[in-house]
Amino acid sequence: MKKSLRKTNLLKSLFDVEEGYSLTQAIAEADRCLLCHDAPCSAGCPAETDPGKFIRKLRLKNLKGAVRTIKENNILGGVCGIVCPAGRLCEEKCSATEIDKPINIGRLQRFLVEYGWQIGFNPLIKKPANNIKVAVVGSGPAGLTCAAYLAKEGYDVTVFELNKKPGGILRYGVPSFRLGEDFADREIKDITALGVKLKCNSPVKGKGAVENLLKKGFKAVFACAGLSLPYKIDIPGAHLKNVTTSTEFLKDAKAGNHEKISRLVKNKCVAIIGGGSVAMDVASTCRALKADKVYCIALEGMGELPAYKDDLLMALDNCVIIKPQCRVKEITGKGGAVAGVKGNETKWKVKGPGLFIPSNAEDVPGAGFSLNAGAVIIAIGSGPDSRLKEQLPKVKFTKRGLIQVNKNTLATSAKGVYAGGDIVRGPALAVDAVADGKKAAKAIMKSLQGGK
Ligand SMILES: Cc1cc2nc3c(=O)[nH]c(=O)nc-3n(C[C@H](O)[C@H](O)[C@H](O)COP(=O)(O)OP(=O)(O)OC[C@H]3O[C@@H](n4cnc5c(N)ncnc54)[C@H](O)[C@@H]3O)c2cc1C
Ligand code: SF4
């Protein structure tokens, strides 16, 4: 997209949530759809939300039908409409039709879900209870989706969540300027309305705890605990005051601990280590909290950054400075707190896809740098909690500590235990977690109904 045509994303506060479409805007947008016979957009959605079908219904002014298509296919359709990097998914396939610009599928999806709420239309019909109990461990998008689809079919589903509130990363990671808390809460209400029992502040912990749920009357378990352990870097100064991780920082931002994070970054220069979407979210959040200057220091070159384009553009709109192909080697301190960072420019030893990894980067001789900074935020990703192996002793894990599953059914090596979402895929997307939740629900039902 030409920069001149793009709306800038200058954040005034952490709560600058983008407005949804009005009915007139939504109909005008849907009217641009070419109604392709093969709907390539639908093929681009990992969760099979079927935008081709709901946009066709919207064009024919069958609004309730359009809402039904979304909610039946994707119980978190509203949230996905907001958080999906649609330009790389459904909308990318739409642009293949070479109309002037792709249909804004995400915004139409969000509009329709909100429209359903406004007119009090609930398209989800629950089947009579069958009294078969299923447990879900983790209330992120994978767990919520699996729970909703099972509950809709009459299953008695309990979701165990260690945090105070449900939603996983949607609640504690995705910044408020993208996804408002009220919106996520409203969509979670559609799930509890199906009879799903949400038990927050209820970690499943201890030796064999997840598998033992099968001995407590649950006929199947879906484990979807996500990636909760932020990676740290082992460099001098990593222990200093005012060094934190993106996970902690964004969690505080979402939990409303604004005084604490403002104190960390306001009127300061902040160095963020990382070049992915999470690093960009942290950087934009710092700017919304009035950080003076924000650097994102990344190993990758500018064109190689792992951040999604929209997240990168948002950070750039908010005057974040990207320092590409650089490695931080030390966090310097004064009086026990961060005073700056020192590092070196790098180049790749070997060039090629999949080789953007620390072990393939080498220092450019004589290209050291240092920056003054009052805070450092490490945003280099998260991994699985190592205690999960203890909770699931019969389950096979990969070398990276992710759960191994049968790709078709998401069944693990322990009978009756299924797994999905980030704990299986590694860092992925909310819509991928929704896809896994649906797949696991289908496989669980098939297995509990004797293969039917
Ligand atoms: C900062 C950040 C921003 C992101 N932004 C986007 C975005 O804009 N768009 C997008 O599509 N994707 C985004 N993602 C990725 C997306 O959020 C994840 O892919 C998705 O949330 C994974 O879903 P999940 O259900 O597998 O796990 P999670 O969302 O991580 O949920 C797992 C849940 O399990 C709970 N849990 C863990 N252990 C236990 C236990 N023992 N007992 C009970 N509960 C337990 C956790 O507390 C958590 O609530 C982002 C990720 C991050 C980190
Ligand atoms: S869920 Fe996401 S990827 Fe799927 S159609 Fe909707 S916006 Fe596109």
Side-chain angles (χ1 to χ4, degrees):
M1 202 186 298
K2 279 187 205 154
K3 188 151 177 141
S4 56
L5 294 179
R6 197 170 53 81
K7 184 171 156 284
T8 53
N9 293 299
L10 200 60
L11 285 171
K12 291 193 189 72
S13 85
L14 280 185
F15 307 103
D16 278 356
V17 185
E18 197 181 3
E19 289 277 303
Y21 275 148
S22 65
L23 178 59
T24 320
Q25 286 170 322
I27 287 175
E29 185 64 6
D31 276 349
R32 294 199 307 113
C33 176
L34 300 181
L35 301 176
C36 305
H37 181 61
D38 56 347
C41 56
S42 290
C45 176
E48 297 176 346
T49 310
D50 207 348
K53 192 168 173 183
F54 73 70
I55 294 173
R56 182 180 292 268
K57 288 184 176 173
L58 175 58
R59 263 197 83 162
L60 297 173
K61 313 282 185 301
N62 174 5
L63 275 89
K64 282 188 177 173
V67 178
R68 177 176 289 111
T69 299
I70 296 170
K71 290 298 270 189
E72 279 182 350
N73 291 332
N74 183 345
I75 190 77
L76 291 173
V79 164
C80 285
I82 295 173
V83 304
C84 273
R88 285 211 184 170
L89 302 164
C90 51
E91 289 175 17
E92 186 179 49
K93 299 280 190 233
C94 173
S95 60
T97 57
E98 290 174 1
I99 50 177
D100 62 344
K101 58 178 179 176
I103 305 296
N104 201 328
I105 296 170
R107 281 189 87 180
L108 286 181
Q109 192 171 300
R110 170 192 171 168
F111 161 77
L112 285 162
V113 170
E114 282 187 308
Y115 176 81
W117 293 337
Q118 268 166 26
I119 62 165
F121 173 62
N122 179 4
L124 301 174
I125 298 159
K126 187 173 155 46
K127 288 198 181 150
N130 61 18
N131 299 320
I132 302 174
K133 287 170 67 175
V134 177
V136 172
V137 180
S139 71
L144 289 174
T145 303
C146 181
Y149 283 95
L150 287 167
K152 198 167 150 256
E153 295 300 315
Y155 288 79
D156 177 357
V157 190
T158 306
V159 180
F160 298 93
E161 168 55 51
L162 72 83
N163 278 317
K164 246 193 336 206
K165 290 185 178 178
I169 293 175
L170 298 177
R171 161 112 31 211
Y172 290 108
V174 181
S176 338
F177 54 76
R178 185 153 340 116
L179 178 64
E181 189 144 5
D182 293 353
F183 194 100
D185 277 340
R186 180 62 191 83
E187 199 141 55
I188 291 172
K189 226 168 138 189
D190 288 346
I191 293 169
T192 47
L194 289 167
V196 170
K197 295 171 198 156
L198 267 179
K199 289 198 168 181
C200 291
N201 279 324
S202 305
V204 180
K205 60 181 182 186
K207 200 166 185 311
V210 177
E211 290 168 13
N212 287 345
L213 289 167
L214 293 171
K215 295 181 191 157
K216 294 182 179 168
F218 294 103
K219 299 293 176 209
V221 177
F222 182 50
C224 44
L227 305 172
S228 55
L229 227 57
Y231 292 133
K232 301 203 166 146
I233 42 174
D234 190 17
I235 53 172
H239 62 280
L240 287 165
K241 188 173 163 221
N242 297 340
V243 178
T244 187
T245 60
S246 51
T247 309
E248 280 304 308
F249 181 79
L250 290 172
K251 197 170 179 180
D252 278 333
K254 259 325 242 292
N257 300 330
H258 296 159
E259 225 175 90
K260 178 178 165 197
I261 50 173
S262 272
R263 238 186 351 258
L264 182 73
V265 303
K266 194 174 171 184
N267 299 329
K268 288 187 191 167
C269 175
V270 182
I272 295 160
I273 303 177
S277 284
V278 174
M280 301 304 147
D281 279 353
V282 172
S284 298
T285 305
C286 287
R287 289 291 293 158
L289 289 165
K290 310 278 178 279
D292 199 20
K293 244 187 197 171
V294 179
Y295 290 93
C296 277
I297 305 167
L299 264 189
E300 298 85 359
M302 204 60 195
E304 301 158 350
L305 291 172
Y308 284 111
K309 190 173 135 198
D310 285 353
D311 302 327
L312 173 62
L313 291 175
M314 179 164 211
L316 292 172
D317 282 344
N318 284 286
C319 303
V320 171
I321 305 158
I322 313 288
K323 258 187 98 51
Q325 291 232 277
C326 283
R327 181 182 358 233
V328 174
K329 298 175 108 178
E330 183 186 347
I331 302 171
T332 54
K334 198 174 174 191
V338 172
V341 294
K342 280 187 180 168
N344 211 96
E345 287 178 23
T346 57
K347 60 181 178 163
W348 300 119
K349 291 180 207 164
V350 186
K351 284 201 173 172
L355 290 169
F356 303 144
I357 46 174
S359 57
N360 187 33
E362 65 185 0
D363 288 354
V364 175
F369 70 87
S370 62
L371 294 172
N372 291 331
V376 172
I377 304 175
I378 300 161
I380 55 169
S382 303
D385 187 333
S386 52
R387 288 170 297 185
L388 207 62
K389 284 189 181 164
E390 184 192 299
Q391 292 156 10
L392 288 156
K394 291 187 198 147
V395 166
K396 282 192 187 149
F397 285 78
T398 67
K399 277 190 196 141
R400 288 168 65 199
L402 302 172
I403 296 180
Q404 273 185 30
V405 291
N406 171 323
K407 285 207 166 64
N408 297 321
T409 61
L410 301 187
T412 68
S413 48
K415 195 167 183 300
V417 180
Y418 297 74
D422 282 6
I423 191 59
V424 166
R425 293 171 179 263
L429 295 171
V431 69
D432 293 319
V434 168
D436 283 359
K438 283 173 75 175
K439 196 189 261 188
K442 271 188 205 157
I444 289 170
M445 286 189 274
K446 196 169 172 191
S447 145
L448 294 178
Q449 290 161 11
K452 276 186 239 156

